[in-house]
């Protein structure tokens, strides 16, 4: 089931997850900023992780897996992107790293996936503007909605936590 709530609202997230428990996994592609600059990368994921722990604990559920779709450049992958890109994305990457750290400390079984970036617009099948083809060193943006199914498959192949 797909559950929707404002990830920055801990009460709304907790209610949404409690209403749908039990379930065996959560996949989060939460991230980005509002026009006012407020980011959901840490706050939204922290709320989702905490609500998942609470909902599954209340349901006495022991098979719990959280898949966090983060970003290349966060955490131990900082060296994977050029320094100017890291500087430009520093706020987002720092928040994503904080979300990853919170997940690691949560006690959940987890998988962290770090694609080149996520966008909310649907995929067009064409390279981003100004790019002709992927290279072995390029980071590519991916359609946020299309990452869920592969992320769920990763959960079955990758032990974490």
């Amino acid at each position: 089931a797909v559950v929707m709530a404002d990830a920055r609202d801990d009460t709304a997230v907790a209610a949404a997850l409690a209403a749908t428990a039990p379930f065996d996994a959560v996949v989060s592609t939460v991230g980005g900023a509002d026009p006012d600059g407020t980011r959901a990368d840490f706050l939204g994921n922290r709320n989702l992780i905490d609500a998942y722990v609470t909902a599954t604990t209340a349901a006495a559920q022991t098979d719990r897996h959280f898949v966090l779709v983060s970003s290349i450049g966060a955490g131990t992958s900082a060296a994977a992107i050029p320094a100017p890109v890291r500087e430009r994305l520093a706020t987002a990457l720092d928040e994503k790293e904080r979300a990853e750290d919170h997940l690691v400390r949560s006690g959940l079984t987890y998988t962290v996936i770090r694609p080149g970036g996520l966008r909310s617009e649907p995929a067009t099948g064409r390279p981003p503007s100004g790019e002709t083809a992927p290279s072995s060193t390029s980071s590519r943006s991916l359609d946020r909605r299309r990452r869920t199914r592969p992320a769920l498959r990763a959960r079955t192949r990758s032990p974490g936590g």
Side-chain angles (χ1 to χ4, degrees), residues 4 10 13 16-17 25 44 48 50 55 88 91 113 115-116 119-120 127 136 146 156 160:
M4 296 192 63
D10 62 340
V13 172
L17 291 185
L48 192 53
D50 292 351
R88 188 169 50 91
T91 301
I113 300 172
R119 63 177 180 268
S120 296
S136 62
R146 295 184 67 201
T156 62

Side-chain angles (χ1 to χ4, degrees), residues 41-42 73-74 86 89-99 101:
D41 302 278
F42 171 67
R86 171 84 178 127
L89 299 175
T91 301
L93 293 174
D94 290 346
E95 287 207 13
K96 288 177 185 301
E97 184 171 348
R98 288 178 61 206
D101 291 344

Side-chain angles (χ1 to χ4, degrees), residues 48-107:
L48 192 53
I49 292 162
D50 292 351
Y52 185 48
V53 168
T54 300
T56 55
T57 300
Q61 183 178 337
T62 56
D63 180 23
R64 311 178 305 179
H65 194 106
F66 196 101
V67 180
L68 177 62
V69 181
S70 183
S71 179
I72 193 77
T76 58
S77 69
I81 59 174
V85 174
R86 171 84 178 127
E87 289 171 20
R88 188 169 50 91
L89 299 175
T91 301
L93 293 174
D94 290 346
E95 287 207 13
K96 288 177 185 301
E97 184 171 348
R98 288 178 61 206
E100 291 179 17
D101 291 344
H102 188 73
L103 177 58
V104 169
R105 291 189 307 273
S106 72

